[in-house]
Amino acid sequence: MRFSEIIGNRDGAERLRNQIRIGRPFHAYIFEGPGGVGKRKLAFTFAQALLCRDPQEGEPCEKCNACKKAAGGNHADIHYIAPEGISIKDEVVEEVQEILYSKPFDGNKNILIIDKADTMTTKAQNRLLKIVEEPGESAVIIFLTEKISKMLPTIVSRSIAVKLKPADRKEIKEFLIRETGADEASAEIAASYSYGRPGKGVKLLRDEEFKSRREKSIECACGILEKKTLAEFQQLLGDSASDRESALEFLEMMSFWYRDLMLVSQGMDEQYIMNRDYMDRLEVFCKKTSLKKICRALEKLEEAKYDIIVHVNVNFVLTNMYLEIN
């Protein structure tokens, strides 16, 4: 893959491309951004460019053996580690630590990509700190994280930070159609609900139950505003929010509906609406629901998400949210 093909984050991609072009790459990088925004894709593109035998203006040539091996995921000098369970184990870091100080097998760089680097223990991070402080000639470490604040300050201060931001919805839609063959309507919905994360959009398209969960979230959001009884609301909800993770996703989808209601009530252009395929229904609800109630619903949804994150009982939270909105 080339830097020019990265979805969104043109500044970050161009910054890395320029380091290849002038032949002065650093030894440690931190790519920070939400899950699905493209951190891994950018990291592997950068690794390919670092190992390319004939980079073209900073872009990997995609023709040399090094590029072909990197693109195929079998280059001996690209090492990738990710959490096993909830964290990256100390012993895994210890193993790659030795690799980084050894001579590259097939190129001139030993590249280590650490996914969800913030899950490393302090001990594991300290193991890598020595390499970050005193790197060998060939070592390059790329830390991928959603929260740079969870990384050791000493590692952060000795690395180049590249912050990845959500991509434009139109760009993600075009990417989804091109990469997955999705029809325009499906790609539009997935792009909207991806919240600027190409990887999330792909995941939603491949999720056979996403469509039904989305429709149910809209029914529940409308049911609250229509003042359905608590029993009716619970029946609508069913098992859509049976655990912490599914509850958070479901509340997020409900908040998208209320957000759209708020925007429609303020006369915002349709391009900013996430549920554009439901414009008629949104307009109907806007006529019979006050802006004050919509804002209250959004406020209580945010409070409910916070309560679930801090491990309050899911059923209690959803019942309390319903009662407080009404």
Side-chain angles (χ1 to χ4, degrees):
M1 188 170 185
R2 301 167 67 83
F3 288 115
S4 58
E5 297 171 1
I6 296 294
I7 306 302
N9 294 291
R10 294 281 184 261
D11 291 345
E14 186 64 15
R15 185 179 176 190
L16 296 171
R17 188 186 72 83
N18 281 336
Q19 293 199 355
I20 301 294
R21 183 176 58 81
I22 64 177
R24 294 178 58 187
F26 203 57
H27 63 275
Y29 297 83
I30 300 176
F31 294 179
E32 181 192 23
V37 79
K39 297 187 294 295
R40 272 191 300 177
K41 194 172 288 280
L42 182 59
F44 278 100
T45 300
F46 186 44
Q48 182 176 337
L50 284 168
L51 294 167
C52 177
R53 304 292 172 81
D54 185 27
Q56 307 293 315
E57 287 298 309
E59 292 277 16
C61 72
E62 299 185 309
K63 297 177 182 178
C64 68
N65 285 335
C67 275
K68 290 177 181 178
K69 288 179 181 179
N74 56 7
H75 198 295
D77 297 326
I78 298 178
H79 311 279
Y80 172 81
I81 60 174
E84 294 179 9
I86 62 173
S87 65
I88 295 174
K89 309 303 181 187
D90 292 354
E91 52 268 29
V92 175
V93 174
E94 187 176 7
E95 289 175 13
V96 296
Q97 186 180 15
E98 295 180 11
I99 293 173
L100 290 174
Y101 275 124
S102 63
K103 184 179 178 181
F105 182 80
D106 196 27
N108 61 354
K109 297 288 183 187
N110 265 325
I111 302 170
L112 172 62
I113 300 171
I114 307 177
D115 206 349
K116 293 182 173 59
D118 49 88
T119 68
M120 288 190 294
T121 63
T122 300
K123 181 180 178 182
Q125 290 192 52
N126 275 317
R127 283 187 180 280
L128 290 172
L129 177 59
K130 183 179 179 182
I131 301 175
V132 174
E133 290 180 324
E134 301 174 12
E137 292 183 5
S138 61
V140 177
I141 305 177
I142 306 172
F143 300 97
L144 311 182
T145 179
E146 293 187 24
K147 294 183 179 179
I148 200 170
S149 59
K150 291 188 176 181
M151 301 290 296
L152 286 179
T154 43
I155 287 181
V156 175
S157 65
R158 291 164 175 78
S159 304
I160 290 179
V162 179
K163 188 173 181 64
L164 278 66
K165 300 175 182 178
D168 178 74
R169 179 168 64 180
K170 182 180 178 182
E171 190 175 8
I172 294 178
K173 175 185 172 182
E174 292 171 352
F175 162 76
L176 294 175
I177 293 173
R178 184 174 66 251
E179 292 296 315
T180 70
D183 61 83
E184 188 165 340
S186 298
E188 174 75 34
I189 294 168
S192 295
Y193 276 72
S194 73
Y195 236 56
R197 298 167 291 173
K200 177 70 172 177
V202 172
K203 184 178 179 181
L204 291 175
L205 281 174
R206 292 173 177 168
D207 184 348
E208 296 179 357
E209 296 180 0
F210 166 65
K211 183 178 179 180
S212 63
R213 290 202 309 276
R214 173 186 176 238
E215 291 174 352
K216 188 171 283 190
S217 74
I218 292 172
E219 292 303 320
C220 285
C222 292
I224 291 177
L225 296 179
E226 290 172 331
K227 293 189 176 181
K228 290 186 179 295
T229 66
L230 177 58
E232 288 173 326
F233 171 71
Q234 290 173 331
Q235 186 175 6
L236 278 174
L237 186 63
D239 60 356
S240 300
S242 56
D243 55 53
R244 182 169 170 265
E245 186 175 344
S246 62
L248 287 171
E249 182 197 40
F250 198 78
L251 291 175
E252 187 79 353
M253 287 195 280
M254 286 179 65
S255 71
F256 292 160
W257 180 258
Y258 290 134
R259 168 193 172 278
D260 281 352
L261 279 174
M262 184 171 65
L263 294 178
V264 171
S265 72
Q266 298 302 297
M268 292 295 288
D269 193 282
E270 190 175 319
Q271 65 174 312
Y272 299 108
I273 307 303
M274 296 181 69
N275 296 288
R276 278 189 273 186
D277 52 332
Y278 280 102
M279 277 301 298
D280 290 345
R281 192 172 186 184
L282 284 165
E283 288 171 353
V284 168
F285 265 89
C286 279
K287 292 176 182 177
K288 59 183 183 181
T289 308
S290 68
L291 179 61
K292 182 178 179 180
K293 184 161 186 178
I294 295 169
C295 291
R296 180 173 177 79
L298 275 170
E299 178 188 347
K300 295 305 174 183
L301 273 170
E302 289 304 311
E303 288 179 7
K305 284 191 282 185
Y306 175 80
D307 288 342
I308 291 172
I309 288 170
V310 296
H311 301 292
V312 179
N313 180 273
V314 171
N315 289 330
F316 172 80
V317 170
L318 295 176
T319 299
N320 190 58
M321 176 196 74
Y322 170 87
L323 294 172
E324 289 198 343
I325 293 175
N326 282 306

